[in-house]
Amino acid sequence: MSLTGADTREAYTHQIESIIESFAGDYGYIEYSDTIKLAGAIGEIDRKAQEEMKKGNYRRAFYMAAAILDGMKQIMYRIDDSAGYIGGTICCALELLTELAAGDPDESIRRELVDYVISVVESKTLRGFDYEEECIEIAFLLMKTEEEKENIHKLLRIYWLTPLSQTGKKLPWKDMKQSL
């Protein structure tokens, strides 16, 4: 499916949702055999987003990657992803967002991207899949204002530190303290 129409995140999200629903069964569940096909269809959109990045169409690339991530968040608990194809799709979308963040986007895109990755973590829909950490890393790349630093610190305390303290993982405090 090609992406056409208005260049809004909502328009791309609607297109992703349509693709997802075309693979869903009667009760909304996506079977293992359809997961590979779905990942292929979403992969085409990811490739288009990568092309947009190369062309310098950063906002369009951001909207496509965010739509992919939003769509995948919605199906995490109603899909058989035992082969990891949807997880791979999420990783590709996050890699594109990381590339965008590392490329020093203009202020309007930077602000929108900060707000977006913070909202992904706050939604808790990716909890338990380690993708929240990548969103926080993206936010670290983008933060400039004191308010953003406070918001990210809040995310670390609420969403990251508690689960990590329960698992015994160690945090890279030196790097984080320098950023904060």
Side-chain angles (χ1 to χ4, degrees):
M1 175 178 256
S2 66
L3 292 171
T4 59
D7 283 332
T8 65
R9 200 168 95 211
E10 292 78 19
Y12 292 126
T13 299
H14 178 72
Q15 290 174 345
I16 296 288
E17 288 171 349
S18 295
I19 293 169
I20 290 168
E21 292 311 311
S22 73
F23 289 99
D26 292 337
Y27 299 102
Y29 189 77
I30 301 171
E31 298 290 337
Y32 176 82
S33 60
D34 291 324
T35 300
I36 297 167
K37 297 174 201 166
L38 173 60
I42 300 299
E44 287 298 317
I45 296 169
D46 180 67
R47 283 186 279 289
K48 175 72 173 160
Q50 291 174 18
E51 290 173 16
E52 294 298 331
M53 277 287 288
K54 289 178 185 170
K55 292 178 188 175
N57 297 327
Y58 303 122
R59 185 171 306 281
R60 186 174 296 148
F62 165 52
Y63 288 163
M64 288 179 187
I68 291 170
L69 189 57
D70 289 343
M72 299 304 99
K73 286 185 330 186
Q74 292 176 13
I75 63 170
M76 291 300 294
Y77 297 100
R78 60 181 182 107
I79 191 167
D80 178 351
D81 191 33
S82 55
Y85 290 104
I86 299 306
T89 302
I90 291 171
C91 287
C92 288
L94 288 169
E95 285 175 17
L96 192 109
L97 294 176
T98 300
E99 181 182 341
L100 178 60
D104 195 30
D106 72 47
E107 184 58 22
S108 66
I109 294 173
R110 186 197 71 77
R111 184 73 211 142
E112 195 171 356
L113 185 50
V114 167
D115 292 344
Y116 175 72
V117 295
I118 288 173
S119 74
V120 169
V121 176
E122 288 177 337
S123 75
K124 300 182 186 178
T125 54
L126 295 177
R127 177 147 275 186
F129 295 98
D130 293 331
Y131 302 121
E132 288 178 322
E133 292 177 25
E134 291 184 53
C135 289
I136 291 171
E137 288 175 16
I138 292 168
F140 266 111
L141 287 172
L142 293 164
M143 68 180 180
K144 289 185 178 177
T145 68
E146 287 303 314
E147 179 185 357
E148 290 167 351
K149 291 176 183 179
E150 288 175 26
N151 286 338
I152 293 166
H153 188 261
K154 178 180 121 183
L155 290 179
L156 286 171
R157 279 186 288 122
I158 294 172
Y159 300 104
W160 204 21
L161 296 180
T162 302
L164 283 176
S165 66
Q166 293 169 0
T167 64
K169 291 182 181 179
K170 302 292 183 200
L171 293 173
W173 283 113
K174 289 180 186 175
D175 295 338
M176 281 190 238
K177 285 183 181 177
Q178 291 172 356
S179 296
L180 293 174

